[in-house]
Amino acid sequence: MKFVGPAFWMMDPSCVTGGLPMQFTVFPYLLCVLVVLLAFPVLARPEVAARPGTLIGTIIDVRAQQPAAGVVVIATSPTLSGERSARTDEQGHYRLQRLPPGTYTLRFEHPDYEACAREEIQLRAARTVRLEVELL
């Protein structure tokens, strides 16, 4: 008796392996290989894994209640080689860009003010963290 149609492979004993049709035993492996091949290039791209973040903010002189210009802002982190710095503008604004994600310490230094530091600042990938500081 010859079977015709889609049920042929189910009835032919030469196509059966271990009691299951061969298509059912190979399909899970092929699916896993396909998923890995498609996911690997996406996960391997460095810009997806760790896009840089930004630290911004304003520094105010507590006594004058005015923006503090010329304050040096220094960022350090275990994920950062060395340190990054910026200087506040006339409005007391600072911006540290293209920082790798991680935990940061910011130091604020100026000859007219007491030195100040903020620790444990969490910066995530592709995020901007705003930190307002008042100096004495």
Side-chain angles (χ1 to χ4, degrees):
M1 172 187 262
K2 184 175 182 180
F3 292 96
V4 181
F8 173 75
W9 57 267
M10 292 177 59
M11 303 304 283
D12 186 4
S14 64
C15 293
V16 177
T17 306
L20 290 173
M22 187 173 289
Q23 289 88 339
F24 289 133
T25 58
V26 175
F27 180 73
Y29 298 108
L30 290 176
L31 183 62
C32 288
V33 168
L34 181 65
V35 167
V36 168
L37 289 176
L38 291 175
F40 184 73
V42 173
L43 296 175
R45 293 189 332 205
E47 64 271 10
V48 171
R51 293 185 299 192
T54 304
L55 294 171
I56 63 171
T58 305
I59 300 178
I60 303 292
D61 180 335
V62 173
R63 292 182 206 116
Q65 288 299 306
Q66 296 291 323
V71 176
V72 177
V73 181
I74 303 166
T76 57
S77 172
T79 61
L80 184 65
S81 60
E83 58 186 33
R84 296 268 185 89
S85 64
R87 188 175 298 272
T88 58
D89 61 14
E90 295 299 319
Q91 291 80 34
H93 300 301
Y94 66 90
R95 176 180 296 269
L96 294 160
Q97 297 177 307
R98 294 186 289 273
L99 297 172
T103 303
Y104 283 83
T105 297
L106 290 183
R107 291 190 330 263
F108 306 92
E109 299 176 355
H110 190 278
D112 296 339
Y113 302 102
E114 291 181 20
C116 175
R118 296 287 170 93
E119 299 177 349
E120 300 296 321
I121 300 166
Q122 297 294 322
L123 181 62
R124 293 197 171 115
R127 300 287 185 186
T128 298
V129 174
R130 177 180 296 274
L131 184 65
E132 309 300 328
V133 177
E134 294 181 343
L135 294 180
L136 291 172

